[in-house]
Amino acid sequence: MEDFFNDIASSFTKTFITDDRWLMLLKGLGATLEITFFALLIGLALGFLVAIIRSTYELNLKGKKSKSAGDFVIKVFNVICNIYITVIRGTPMVVQLMIMYFLVFASSRDGMLAAILSFGINSGAYVAEIMRSGIMSIDKGQFEASRSLGFNYSKTMVIIILPQALKNVLPALANEFIVLLKETSVAGYVAIQDLTYIGNLIRSRTYEAFFPLITVALIYLVIVLILSFFLKKLERRLRNSDH
């Protein structure tokens, strides 16, 4: 029994204390959170834009003939958005990341920027479909009512439709944010020392798998639980505001 506890203490020391490896884990966590935060901003901006274009086409132009320049532009952008969503959702995240790093950023090899853009563009495709479904779930009568009150289409979308759609799809969006956080664990494929990469690096140096890998898993779990807690509070507050 004494040997067992000595082995545990030795493994703990090699994983966290020797060479200040706990600082390595902390830096890895910082890289993971940095990628997640900026990728989330890109994903939200891109997703909302694509969702508005696609829902505008479906609500106003689908199945209709129009010769105006504005309608033609919307149709072209809708085709581009469809291709974007099909390609991004139909290919693995790891492959997209490596294409961004080894092809798009072949000259600079800026791993952090490549990862942020890759995860942001990937998340944007899923956010777009989530938001589009939320917009399409709003009764069309609200568009007509807002027009009768003097709102143009853009004001109707921003002031009336999007807040309701966002409230409807908040659980799905929260799930996408959590998925994005966990997907960043493959950032090590482009030499970024994120949390997962550091955990595996410590394992390779200490030949001890238990503490490094369990620690990484627990850190991800704690972050997800914290995010879930605050997102549930936000969802509850939004639901209470309806009454």
Side-chain angles (χ1 to χ4, degrees), residues 3-206:
D3 290 341
F4 172 77
F5 285 111
N6 287 337
D7 290 342
I8 292 293
S10 175
S11 177
F12 182 90
T13 300
K14 286 190 288 185
T15 300
F16 299 106
I17 308 302
T18 304
D19 296 331
D20 289 331
R21 287 178 179 142
W22 66 275
L23 285 175
M24 295 170 61
L25 286 168
L26 198 60
K27 290 179 180 178
L29 174 60
T32 294
L33 294 178
E34 182 180 353
I35 294 170
T36 303
F37 176 75
F38 288 108
L40 176 62
L41 295 181
I42 293 172
L44 284 173
L46 192 56
F48 272 69
L49 178 62
V50 172
I52 290 172
I53 291 172
R54 295 197 69 209
S55 59
T56 298
Y57 170 79
E58 293 187 19
L59 288 169
N60 300 321
L61 301 174
K62 190 174 183 179
K64 300 177 182 178
K65 292 183 179 181
S66 177
K67 297 181 180 180
S68 69
D71 290 348
F72 177 76
V73 170
I74 292 293
K75 288 181 179 180
V76 170
F77 277 115
N78 180 67
V79 172
I80 294 173
C81 290
N82 281 331
I83 294 172
Y84 158 68
I85 290 173
T86 301
V87 171
I88 294 300
R89 297 180 71 187
T91 54
M93 178 66 246
V94 175
V95 176
Q96 296 170 24
L97 178 62
M98 289 192 291
I99 288 173
M100 184 69 73
Y101 181 71
F102 292 108
L103 296 181
V104 178
F105 288 91
S107 58
S108 65
R109 292 293 173 89
D110 189 336
M112 182 61 72
L113 182 58
I116 289 172
L117 288 176
S118 296
F119 289 113
I121 292 170
N122 180 273
S123 180
Y126 292 92
V127 171
E129 285 298 277
I130 292 170
M131 283 306 304
R132 185 188 66 84
S133 65
I135 293 171
M136 298 303 294
S137 69
I138 305 300
D139 191 278
K140 290 184 179 180
Q142 296 203 32
F143 286 93
E144 298 170 2
S146 64
R147 292 288 179 87
S148 66
L149 292 173
F151 288 97
N152 58 26
Y153 182 82
S154 59
K155 285 187 176 180
T156 299
M157 186 64 73
V158 172
I159 297 174
I160 298 176
I161 304 302
L162 281 180
Q164 296 181 75
L166 183 61
K167 191 180 297 184
N168 291 341
V169 301
L170 186 60
L173 275 180
N175 184 65
E176 170 56 25
F177 299 159
I178 291 171
V179 169
L180 172 62
L181 169 68
K182 292 187 290 185
E183 278 188 340
T184 60
S185 61
V186 301
Y189 276 86
V190 294
I192 294 178
Q193 295 189 357
D194 69 312
L195 182 60
T196 303
Y197 180 94
I198 293 297
N200 196 45
L201 180 64
I202 293 174
R203 179 201 58 77
S204 68
R205 290 181 179 178
T206 62

